[in-house]
């Protein structure tokens, strides 16, 4: 009886007095003994009623938490969200055993700002992670921009609550600020005890894959650069011998132009793979450049190892998957298995990785004490392709995709929570929720407090997930594209209608397409359509945003638009100016910030099959055990060698006008030998020492 709610206890007392202590058949009141007998006969009724009363199961304290985020995954790519041609049994299992959200919204439609919002529970514009230019993500590992150190992540709060925190996979919110080793934006400075993964992101260059346009452009750039370098060398020799009536100043200016041209294109086309396609463990670079064909297995190894090492708990583990971002690196076992080409193969491998993590939880007996969450950072990249092969996924019935700040296809993502015994299995919620809601949800489940010194835009989802409240706490959600507010939605509680107003939309190209296929990614600024009054949709009846409403078709048009605009003004009044992290010099490559395995710029190493081994570099043994690589002018470094040789030789001729031609030739040969040996050393990747103490073999990239 002590566990009965007070209202039920009073009701029971009333019914007890009417049923158990009523007058007997003779019309006289029963004596105390007979009343006591009737009282005892009522216990079966009491027991039945008590079992029927809904009671709230207390939430276990400090559960383990596994947060899984896919990269560029479309909501239409999963079986539990309606895809019947891709096999995702493990993620579908999560949905069956947990709670599935159908209106789960990313705070941005592109990687860096979306992840910043996920980690902090705040719109990215509040932390400076919303760009004012068309460059909306961090482009370089050696950029100084990133998630500011004064931002508070859920990992930092849970770390203070005694959690062991780990991140495996993609980071993409910065590394260092002023020096290579300050690591101000690094995961370990944002609450994670352990990090293994890539500090930036995957890109086509990491897999040596480019679309046909990029390949042709790259070849053209190299041809032009070599031709210009050769021309400059001829000009210098012509001026030296007096056969060309030009000044040394002219030769020097021409050389500067060649150098500027070379640096301007090679900085984006040539260095990327070596500088940005790297793996780090904590603060150390473990692989540079990444060998993508084995990267998925390395990350899975680290993921399962982290769970096994910390099974005594509590732990927070963030698995930030590299799938399904280009270049869609897929292991041999999954190639050709799906009906959707390379992208489908990559999705099915991603599902298998999720299954291995769930299997580890099962094997360690952690399933019932672990909250598992699965999502994607934003919608599918619908414009991505190599030639005629699509590289992006499906956003289902939703319009648009990655990079489109307002359209549903860019921001509506999967959202699945599973916690056996605490969250109801098979529950589906159609209320508006956000990736930012994960922050207050996991903080409060872990025993922490949401910061009170800043605006937190996320809301605790626990009551909604458990069915204790009927509606989400989000009445309004705002959809940014960079620093531009493109759209806003209003969940009207009375009438349960869901409105969405678009203030700006990208102009699709070519005409008639639903995407920016000629550009590759839709812009936020400049080439966009501005709407006054805004485009208005009622998402409950038109989730595809196919038919905008008008005053003629919707009587409440003006009232709804006015209410959304009022909420937008109120939201903007809460914003305060902060330094931009993704614009200008904050997003430029800075050599002094470049993470390097070795001595910059001679960086290179390869991860061991044994994760705890240290990298070894023994140049003498390397020299004795390897043959000198054969010069191949088609190789990237040999192109560079050729250009640098022409530049330096021309400079030496300019500085020494009376050098004999034979001396010039000898100097050039000596310079070639020195430079070639330097480039050869930079080709070498060093493998960790084996467990028996013998040196492993060295290989070339």
């Amino acid at each position: 009886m002590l566990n009965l709610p007070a209202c039920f206890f009073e009701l029971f007392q009333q019914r007890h007095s009417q049923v158990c202590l009523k007058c007997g058949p003779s019309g006289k009141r029963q004596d105390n003994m007979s009343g006591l007998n009737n009282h005892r006969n009522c216990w079966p009724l009491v027991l039945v009623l008590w079992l029927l009363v809904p009671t709230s199961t207390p939430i276990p304290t400090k559960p383990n938490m596994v947060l899984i985020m896919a990269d560029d995954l479309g909501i239409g790519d999963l079986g539990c969200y309606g895809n019947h041609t891709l096999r995702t049994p493990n993620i579908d299992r999560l949905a069956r055993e947990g709670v599935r959200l159908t209106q789960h919204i990313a705070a941005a439609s592109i990687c860096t700002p979306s992840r910043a919002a996920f980690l902090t529970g705040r719109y990215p514009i509040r932390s400076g992670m919303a760009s004012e230019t068309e460059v909306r993500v961090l482009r370089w590992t050696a950029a100084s921009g990133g998630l500011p150190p004064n931002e508070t992540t859920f990992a930092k709060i849970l770390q203070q609550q005694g959690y062991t925190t780990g991140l495996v996979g993609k980071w993409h919110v910065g590394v260092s600020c002023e020096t290579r080793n300050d690591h101000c934006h690094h995961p370990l400075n944002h609450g994670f005890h352990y990090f293994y993964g890539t500090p930036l992101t995957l890109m086509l260059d990491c897999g040596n894959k480019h679309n046909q346009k990029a390949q042709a452009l790259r070849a053209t750039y190299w041809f032009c650069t070599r031709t210009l370098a050769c021309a400059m060398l001829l000009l210098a020799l012509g001026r030296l011998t007096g056969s060309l009536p030009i000044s040394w100043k002219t030769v020097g200016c021409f050389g500067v132009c060649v150098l500027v041209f070379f640096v301007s294109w090679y900085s984006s086309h040539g260095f990327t793979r070596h500088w940005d396609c790297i793996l780090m463990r904590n603060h150390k670079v473990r692989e540079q450049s990444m060998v993508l064909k084995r990267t998925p297995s390395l990350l899975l190894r680290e993921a399962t190892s982290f769970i096994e090492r910390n099974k005594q708990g509590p732990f927070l583990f963030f698995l930030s998957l590299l799938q399904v971002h280009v270049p869609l690196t897929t292991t041999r076992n999954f190639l050709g298995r799906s009906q959707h080409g390379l992208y489908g193969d990559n999705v099915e491998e991603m599902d298998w990785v999720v299954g291995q993590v769930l299997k580890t939880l099962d094997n360690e007996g952690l399933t019932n004490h672990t909250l598992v969450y699965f999502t994607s950072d934003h919608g599918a990249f619908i414009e991505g392709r190599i030639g005629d092969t699509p590289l992006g996924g499906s956003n289902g019935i939703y319009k648009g995709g990655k990079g489109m700040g307002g359209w549903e296809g860019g921001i509506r993502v999967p959202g699945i929570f599973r916690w056996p015994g605490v969250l109801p299995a098979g529950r589906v919620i159609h209320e508006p929720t956000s990736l930012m809601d994960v922050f207050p949800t996991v903080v409060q489940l872990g025993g922490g407090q949401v910061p009170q010194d800043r605006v937190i835009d996320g809301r605790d989802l626990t009551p909604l997930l458990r069915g204790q409240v009927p509606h989400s706490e989000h009445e309004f959600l705002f959809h940014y594209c960079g620093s531009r507010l493109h759209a806003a939605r209003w969940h009207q509680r009375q009438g349960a209608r869901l409105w969405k107003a678009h203030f700006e939309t990208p102009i699709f190209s070519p005409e008639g397409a639903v995407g920016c296929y000629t550009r590759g990614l839709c812009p936020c600024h400049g080439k966009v359509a501005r709407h006054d009054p805004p485009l208005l949709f009622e998402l409950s009846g038109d989730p595809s945003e196919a038919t905008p409403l008008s005053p003629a078709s919707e009587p409440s048009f003006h009232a709804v638009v006015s209410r959304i605009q009022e909420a937008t003004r109120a939201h903007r009044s809460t914003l305060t100016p902060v330094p931009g992290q993704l614009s200008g010099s904050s997003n430029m490559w800075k050599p002094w910030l470049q993470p390097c395995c070795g001595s910059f710029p001679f960086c290179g190493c390869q991860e061991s099959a044994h994760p705890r081994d240290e990298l070894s570099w023994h140049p003498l043994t390397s020299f004795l055990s390897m043959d000198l690589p054969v010069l191949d002018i088609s190789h990237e470094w040999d192109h560079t060698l050729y250009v640098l040789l022409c530049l330096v030789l021309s400079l030496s001729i300019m500085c020494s006008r009376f050098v004999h031609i034979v001396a010039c030739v000898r100097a050039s040969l000596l310079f070639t030998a020195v430079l070639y040996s330097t480039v050869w050393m930079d080709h070498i990747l060093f493998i960790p020492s084996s467990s028996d103490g013998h040196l492993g073999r060295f290989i070339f990239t």
Side-chain angles (χ1 to χ4, degrees), residues 92-139:
D92 297 345
R93 170 195 165 192
L94 276 179
R96 288 194 308 270
E97 297 176 354
V99 180
R100 180 169 63 90
L101 308 174
T102 64
Q103 198 180 156
H104 202 40
I105 308 299
S109 60
I110 204 162
C111 302
T112 298
S114 175
R115 291 167 182 271
F118 172 74
L119 290 164
T120 62
R122 291 153 50 85
Y123 286 108
I125 196 170
R126 299 192 190 278
S127 58
M129 299 295 280
S131 175
E132 298 178 355
T133 69
E134 288 308 321
V135 181
R136 288 178 273 162
V137 299
L138 284 173
R139 298 182 64 186

Side-chain angles (χ1 to χ4, degrees), residues 158-354:
L158 292 186
Q159 191 180 61
Q160 297 168 355
Q161 296 300 312
Y163 274 75
T164 302
T165 56
L167 165 61
V168 169
K170 173 177 173 176
W171 177 239
H172 207 185
V173 288
V175 180
S176 298
C177 292
E178 297 179 356
T179 67
R180 182 176 293 122
N181 296 319
D182 65 30
H183 299 118
C184 68
H185 305 306
H186 192 276
L188 269 60
N189 199 43
H190 279 296
F192 291 98
H193 289 107
Y194 182 76
F195 169 63
Y196 184 89
T198 174
L200 197 68
T201 185
L202 287 184
M203 55 198 77
L204 285 174
D205 298 78
C206 296
N208 285 329
K209 295 181 181 180
H210 311 276
N211 57 37
Q212 292 177 346
K213 286 184 179 180
Q215 286 180 331
L217 190 63
R218 194 182 187 90
T220 301
Y221 282 153
W222 269 125
F223 176 78
C224 293
T225 304
R226 293 177 61 194
T227 302
L228 290 172
C230 184
M232 183 189 62
L233 180 59
L234 292 176
L235 287 176
L237 289 174
R239 177 64 182 86
L240 178 65
T241 59
S243 58
L244 291 177
I246 56 175
S247 65
W248 287 110
K249 184 177 181 180
T250 302
V251 177
C253 290
F254 186 80
V256 170
C257 292
V258 174
L259 183 61
V260 169
F261 172 74
F262 171 66
V263 171
S264 65
W265 77 263
Y266 194 66
S267 62
S268 58
H269 286 268
F271 291 141
T272 304
R273 185 170 189 267
H274 198 64
W275 294 150
D276 292 332
C277 302
I278 63 177
L279 283 177
M280 297 182 73
R281 174 177 286 116
N282 297 329
H283 291 149
K284 293 185 178 181
V285 177
R286 296 291 299 187
E287 189 161 272
Q288 191 172 17
S289 304
M290 280 191 290
V291 182
L292 281 188
K293 63 182 179 181
R294 63 196 194 98
T295 299
S297 61
L298 291 177
L299 296 181
L300 178 58
R301 179 189 72 185
E302 293 290 331
T304 56
S305 176
F306 179 87
I307 294 174
E308 291 166 354
R309 291 196 310 270
N310 298 285
K311 60 185 177 182
Q312 300 303 322
F315 64 81
L316 166 74
F317 178 51
F318 179 20
L319 176 57
S320 183
L321 297 167
L322 300 185
Q323 294 97 345
V324 287
H325 198 286
V326 293
L328 301 177
T329 302
T330 307
T331 57
R332 184 181 306 172
N333 292 339
F334 289 89
L335 286 175
R337 287 183 48 173
S338 78
Q339 301 179 33
H340 296 276
L342 184 59
Y343 181 85
D345 298 343
N346 206 236
V347 170
E348 295 192 359
E349 182 172 30
M350 174 203 67
D351 178 80
W352 177 80
V353 170
V354 172

